[in-house]
Amino acid sequence: MDWLQSLGRTGLILFERLGRGHLFLLRVFGGMSDTVLRPSLLIAQMYSIGVLSFTIIAISGLNVGMVLGLQMYNTLVDFGAEDSLGQVVALSLVRELGPVVAALLFAGRAGSALTAEIGLMKATEQLSGMEMMAVDPIKRVVAPRFLAGMLSMPLLAAIFSAVGILGGFFVGVGLLGVDSGAFWSQMQANVDLREDIVNGVIKSFVFGFVATWIAVYEGYDTVPTTEGVSRSTTRTVVHSAFAILALDFVLTALMFGGI
Amino acid sequence: MINRRSIEVAVGLFIAAGLAALFMLAMKVSNISAFTEGNGYQLSARFENIGGLKVRSPVTMGGVRIGRVAAIEFDQNAYQAVVTLKISPQYDRIPKDSSASIYTSGLLGEQYVGLEPGADDAYMRDQDSISLTQSALVMERLISKFLFNQTVKENGGS
Amino acid sequence: MTASDRPEPLVKIRDLHFRFGARVIFDGADIDIQRGKITTIMGPSGTGKTTLLRMIGGQLRPDSGSVLVDGLEVPKLKTDELFALRKHMGMMFQTGALFTGLTIFENVAYPLREHTKLPEAMIRDLVLIKLQAVGLRGARNLMPAELSGGMARRVALARAVALDPMMIMYDEPFTGQDPITVGVIMQLIRHLNESLGITSIIVSHDVTEVSAISDYIYMISEGKVVDHGPPAELKQSRSDWVQQFLQALPDGPVPFQYPAPDYRADLLGDGG
């Protein structure tokens, strides 16, 4: 019966965390209005979440686009369809790789930093001190970071896709000799604004929401010790990755059908 | 600690870069004409068989893309496919007696609707229908027709 | 010591019960904190001294019992009422709890910026006055990471009094400091108490320092108040436990040995 007991215990802990996480989200939404009224808090967080993630996102986007250009070219050229390279690269990036890879990188770069920052603030009693100064840390600390994460993610994903397409263009047209006109026209003929681009943006927005939520919650709910913070940081990256990949499947099925 | 002003500038640049990327995706990568075509006009055409034609497939005239397939429906009374074509507003001089055919670009390429201009002086208007149509070539039918002709010939010859 | 000859205490705790999971932290404690006095809560580590401060500040709710602060029943307050009360409380955390991302000046200015609409020039003046009081006016542009532990506590103290509170709670103010720093902090606590008439609550287990500056001491062990009184009176306490604690005896009511089976039997036995 031991395994049954531990299953039950694990289940209880899971539901407890799920419930706490959602209640936490409600409180964050409640504290959001203050952030909107104080843009300086938001700007500071946009800097540490968005701007500081820019480099890794841009470099990764460029690399993914270049690799995609090379790989797809090698496959397409067998069918004499290398003119479709632009379309293939753009669709892969805009629909899937842009939102998903950017979100995974975001969780690794910004999400873990958020958890560590908030967790350390808790461990060093800064959050508690704030409460004792009659300042709600949810409003001052969590809500601005949450909003900044939600706003940064779609921008980062768009940058990832755009840079990636340029990378694909560079490899395909610049190095492999695909016709530049065909590259862009095939892309434009087959990428739809609403169906592909807007859906991609929606995806990245959802991923940003979930990844930031997990990050700030893990930080706020951390066990306030050095070990607790490091565990929470790891959990942020792992849980965000799971959540992003699972949600990606659900969203893809909803948006592009097929099931 | 970096001062406040440079943080604000950096955030401003970041947001500008993000919006520029979104703008590029919308304008350069995607078919923004999906929206400009929104104020185009619609024609309908009936086909016996549309083969692999899909919504958003191109509509061309003389090989130039002038619109796209907006909707495909099936008319249960006539047992025909009704294809709605959305034509860009600048192409407003398509003769009334033009014909529509479904072609395949290349051997394995996608299917598209090609319009052949007629000789009428009157032009197509919104909600008009194209009466002269030619269905898609379906490979199996082509083969069976060929085989049938062969048999008829052999029978007639003996 | 009858209750009637004293003025109404600022903090009045009655029949406090609190448990952390299965661990009982408070089991019916009664504590009074007199206005304008320095009261110390003393006891071994892990007796819930910090927990007590958190309950006075409304960050934790007791399982049962009442916590009255200035006539208000803290556990029953709504969030905004609680926040209004907290503006009149200062707390100095064990680690200082300074905001690591802000300079010393901004740390002290923080409560003023949050809760007042004072013009920048006045905030500057107020912050410099508070920093001068703790002797760190010259360090205003440093970051918290550049300060020693004792300096961080002094800044924390300046921040705690920024809004001129009616009471300050000190969480282990002397722990881990060198003698000079301890002297400085003792003097600051005394000074703030005398010059501003601020009620002070100290949580500590440093016997000598506490005896020197406290007006009144509560000894807590295993969730109960073991003894209480002015420091001099407490030295004469008939409780063995208080004597052991005050004189730092290694063995007594609190045994040196963690509960274990008989030593001899344990050594001869085959484990388990």
Side-chain angles (χ1 to χ4, degrees), chain A residues 126 128-129 131 133-134 140, chain C residues 54 59 86 98-99 114-115:
Chain A
Q126 291 183 49
S128 196
E131 274 182 16
M133 281 187 268
R140 284 294 176 279
Chain C
R54 288 186 189 281
Q59 287 185 313
R86 281 184 189 162
L98 298 178
F99 301 132
E114 283 292 333
H115 295 305

Side-chain angles (χ1 to χ4, degrees), chain C:
Chain C
M1 47 164 68
T2 49
S4 54
D5 59 350
R6 290 168 175 280
E8 182 64 17
L10 182 62
V11 179
K12 197 170 164 184
I13 294 167
R14 286 292 174 271
D15 196 27
L16 187 69
H17 285 83
F18 185 77
R19 53 174 66 221
F20 232 28
R23 229 176 88 215
V24 177
I25 308 283
F26 285 105
D27 187 18
D30 296 342
I31 294 170
D32 286 342
I33 311 285
Q34 300 300 332
R35 287 173 197 271
K37 293 277 184 335
I38 299 178
T39 307
T40 299
I41 317 289
M42 231 188 200
S45 309
T47 38
K49 302 189 295 294
T50 306
T51 309
L52 182 73
L53 293 188
R54 288 186 189 281
M55 283 194 274
I56 295 174
Q59 287 185 313
L60 288 174
R61 271 165 221 262
D63 295 334
S64 70
S66 85
V67 179
L68 280 169
V69 175
D70 203 22
L72 297 170
E73 180 66 48
V74 175
K76 296 207 173 79
L77 292 180
K78 296 198 194 72
T79 310
D80 48 342
E81 294 169 330
L82 189 61
F83 274 28
L85 177 65
R86 281 184 189 162
K87 287 178 195 168
H88 303 292
M89 294 180 176
M91 180 144 172
M92 192 180 105
F93 287 88
Q94 198 170 347
T95 50
L98 298 178
F99 301 132
T100 38
L102 300 178
T103 62
I104 300 309
F105 181 92
E106 287 301 322
N107 261 288
V108 180
Y110 192 84
L112 295 168
R113 290 194 202 286
E114 283 292 333
H115 295 305
T116 67
K117 299 229 182 303
L118 295 175
E120 189 57 38
M122 196 177 284
I123 288 184
R124 191 185 126 88
D125 288 351
L126 281 171
V127 171
L128 293 186
I129 291 170
K130 304 294 176 192
L131 280 175
Q132 172 74 15
V134 298
L136 291 173
R137 187 165 48 85
R140 61 174 176 261
N141 292 323
L142 297 180
M143 298 303 285
E146 299 171 89
L147 298 185
S148 70
M151 274 150 78
R153 280 181 210 198
R154 280 149 71 185
V155 175
L157 190 53
R159 188 177 65 176
V161 295
L163 288 172
D164 292 324
M166 60 183 180
M167 63 182 268
I168 304 182
M169 295 182 272
Y170 301 91
D171 189 1
E172 304 279 6
F174 311 115
T175 309
Q177 297 304 317
D178 61 72
I180 301 176
T181 310
V182 169
V184 168
I185 294 174
M186 276 170 69
Q187 192 210 324
L188 282 173
I189 294 175
R190 192 85 250 181
H191 173 76
L192 283 170
N193 177 254
E194 281 167 2
S195 62
L196 303 172
I198 300 176
T199 308
S200 306
I201 307 174
I202 302 175
V203 146
S204 179
H205 44 54
D206 298 288
V207 179
T208 26
E209 291 80 5
V210 160
S211 306
I213 63 167
S214 301
D215 295 313
Y216 207 84
I217 296 178
Y218 277 88
M219 304 286 293
I220 297 183
S221 176
E222 288 168 2
K224 289 192 170 73
V225 174
V226 181
D227 202 351
H228 56 106
E233 233 172 79
L234 217 54
K235 284 214 173 76
Q236 316 301 320
S237 173
R238 263 171 295 174
S239 157
D240 290 341
W241 184 88
V242 172
Q243 288 305 332
Q244 187 196 356
F245 192 88
L246 290 181
Q247 296 170 35
L249 302 175
D251 209 353
V254 179
F256 170 70
Q257 287 289 346
Y258 190 85
D262 182 64
Y263 190 34
R264 201 181 147 79
D266 215 6
L267 282 178
L268 294 173
D270 48 2

Side-chain angles (χ1 to χ4, degrees), chain A residues 40 43-44 46-47 50-51 54 90 94-95 152 155-156 158-159 161-162 165-166 184 187-197 201, chain B residues 2 4 6-8 10-12 14-15 17-22 24-35 56 65 68 108 110:
Chain A
S40 63
I43 287 175
M46 286 289 281
Y47 179 80
V51 177
F54 178 85
V94 168
R95 283 186 175 183
S152 298
L155 295 177
L156 289 170
I159 290 169
S161 297
I165 288 168
L166 292 179
W184 290 112
M187 191 190 296
Q188 284 166 9
N190 290 288
V191 179
D192 186 65
L193 184 68
R194 197 172 52 241
E195 193 116 317
D196 299 320
I197 309 264
V201 172
Chain B
I2 312 163
R4 207 186 159 95
S6 47
I7 285 182
E8 283 169 2
V11 172
F14 166 64
I15 291 176
L19 292 180
L22 276 175
M24 173 191 154
L25 292 181
M27 301 304 292
K28 188 87 179 152
V29 173
S30 87
N31 164 22
I32 186 88
S33 49
F35 277 78
R56 293 210 289 128
R65 189 187 155 101
R68 64 188 174 94
L108 298 167
E110 59 174 350

Side-chain angles (χ1 to χ4, degrees), chain A residues 70-131:
Chain A
L70 190 60
Q71 293 281 18
M72 289 300 165
Y73 177 84
N74 285 336
T75 309
L76 289 171
V77 81
D78 290 345
F79 301 99
E82 66 269 24
D83 282 353
S84 310
L85 186 65
Q87 168 198 347
V88 175
V89 169
L91 280 183
S92 327
L93 279 168
V94 168
R95 283 186 175 183
E96 285 298 331
L97 292 175
V100 173
V101 178
L104 292 175
L105 291 169
F106 177 82
R109 170 66 183 80
S112 61
L114 272 179
T115 306
E117 190 193 7
I118 298 178
L120 279 174
M121 285 181 87
K122 184 175 181 183
T124 54
E125 294 179 311
Q126 291 183 49
L127 296 183
S128 196
M130 216 177 243
E131 274 182 16

